[in-house]
Amino acid sequence: MFKTTLIQFLTHLNRKEMTRFVEFVDSPFFNKHKDVKRLVHFLNKIYPNFTKKKTDRLAIYAKMFPKEAFDEPKLKHVFSYTLRLLEQFLSHQEFMKVDSDLKLFLLRDLRNRNLNKRFEKILAQTKSEINKEQIRNFSHHSRMYTLISEADKYFTDKEAYKRDENLQNKVDSLDRFYLSEKLRSICEMLNRKRFLDHQYDFNMEQEMISYLEARPEWWANTPSIQIYYQVYQTLRNTEEDKHYYKLMDLLQDHRHKFPETERLGLFNYALNYCIRRGNSGRVEFWKEVFKIYKQILKDQLILENGFLSESHYGNIATVAMKVKEFDWAENFIHEYKNQLSAANSENAFNYNLSRYYVESRQYDEALVLLNSIEYTNLVYFLGCKVLLLRAYYELGEGEPLRSLMDSFKQYLTRNKLLNKTKIKRYSDHFRLTGRLYKLKIDFAFTPRKQWIKDVQKLEQKVDETKVLPGKVWIKAKLKELLEMGGIVGPSDVVAKS
């Protein structure tokens, strides 16, 4: 393949965009170069099959200039000019998306030409359009500021100060734009700081917050400031739940005033807050996580080009099961199966359905499914084996459990794709589950005092294992064993022997 930036760009155009690019190139207003037209029409014919044979530079040159000897500098020049034209086309496409943006540029031109009557008519129309916009994020305030700036320049030129309030409106719009965008950016800096090793400079953060808190009535009707202020509070005050609940109330009332991508980002802030609280022991927040997932599914925010990612599919199913919404989880697993990408859809479906069976204590159904499927994805394969181990434990199937432990140990030893860390984590899970099962069986044959001591030793070992797949489940099973032994509530963990 004649690898050029131009051809790489063209592979990212859909059929409609490619057709419009051809029309763009054919327009004498944008392009007067016949060689460029010839190249683009040829590339349009072979689109999207830019194979090595079809895009060979000699083949392209022969198609464009059949009577000429190959001239590589000439071909490169045509490609270079066409690339600049494609970039102009893409910029033009983006520019044409928002009608009010076009009118802002028109207003500037009308003002410079002193076409006053037309200026005032377009000004009134554009102001009305912007005021009617449903989206009220920082971009809305930016457009309003630009509009009022044009109006202010116009009335200043006309010396019409007495009948005009544009200067005050301009300053107010600028403040709304700046504060919305400043809050949004600080929230993202705080968010990234959690997982990036980077020190941000939070310029004027406290001054801005002090200003907002001193004048709450000024921004009470500006959703972009209201919502990002609450997001900010959830990031800075991670244990004051009132800010989260206020944020959710605001999102419920104003979420449609933000474009879909930004709206999803706002729900993600709320989601991350709840996950942190849930992981810290506040189990009621898992219901909040479930509620948020249902909302973003309802608003279709989580789909990408009509598809649901495997990670979202698994996370949503997991949370539903965590809060015991088993019927909802089962329906979700089946309903969204066809919205997974084809590559791993069967793996993802089978794994999550198996997990549903295990979590809802339908162990026989789980065993049938887990023993009948072949996983082509390593992550799902490992998860499947963990689920199988759990099902054997719960059913008291000692022989299959021990057989699985032996075969899995051999698999971990022989597999060259797993790193040492992963091998240790899964080895720990299987080894500790094996000890757990032995204690369950030994209950009837071991002196009670010694048995409880053995359970507590295992409990201590589990606590000391920092990263352990299925740790929550193992802890729950240990609790059940201790209750069998007559210990209710937290056990007194014995010292190391």
Side-chain angles (χ1 to χ4, degrees), residues 16 45 53 86 117 131 165 167 178 193 199 218 227 278 299 331 351 356 380 387 398 400:
K16 183 179 178 181
K45 275 186 179 179
K53 183 178 178 181
L86 175 57
K117 228 178 201 182
N131 279 327
E165 296 180 354
L167 181 58
Y178 172 76
K193 194 178 175 184
Q199 293 300 316
W218 181 83
I227 287 177
D299 290 353
N331 289 334
Y351 173 75
Y356 158 74
Y380 290 126
L387 290 175

Side-chain angles (χ1 to χ4, degrees), residues 46 140 254 263 268 332 346 374 386 443 448 454 497:
I46 65 173
H140 165 84
H254 302 295
R263 199 189 318 165
N268 280 337
F332 167 81
E346 283 301 317
E374 287 291 332
V386 169
F443 176 72
R448 186 65 50 86
D454 291 341
S497 59

Side-chain angles (χ1 to χ4, degrees), residues 123-149:
L123 176 68
Q125 287 178 355
T126 309
K127 189 173 184 178
S128 175
E129 289 171 7
I130 294 176
N131 279 327
K132 289 177 182 176
E133 286 178 347
Q134 184 180 23
I135 301 299
R136 291 299 175 105
N137 67 342
F138 69 97
S139 296
H140 165 84
H141 298 303
S142 175
R143 279 193 290 278
M144 183 60 81
Y145 166 72
T146 304
L147 174 72
I148 297 174
S149 293

Side-chain angles (χ1 to χ4, degrees), residues 414-464:
R414 294 171 183 170
N415 192 288
K416 305 301 180 185
L417 296 175
L418 288 172
N419 60 40
K420 290 181 180 178
T421 302
K422 246 185 176 56
I423 289 174
K424 184 180 185 315
R425 288 175 183 175
Y426 281 95
S427 295
D428 287 344
H429 177 83
F430 271 67
R431 181 171 49 79
L432 294 172
T433 302
R435 287 178 60 183
L436 190 70
Y437 185 75
K438 186 176 184 306
L439 286 168
K440 184 180 179 183
I441 299 302
D442 288 350
F443 176 72
F445 311 104
T446 308
R448 186 65 50 86
K449 191 174 180 180
Q450 180 60 46
W451 184 84
I452 291 173
K453 186 178 178 182
D454 291 341
V455 173
Q456 289 176 327
K457 280 185 179 180
L458 179 57
E459 184 180 36
Q460 181 174 322
K461 183 63 179 175
V462 170
D463 287 335
E464 289 171 352

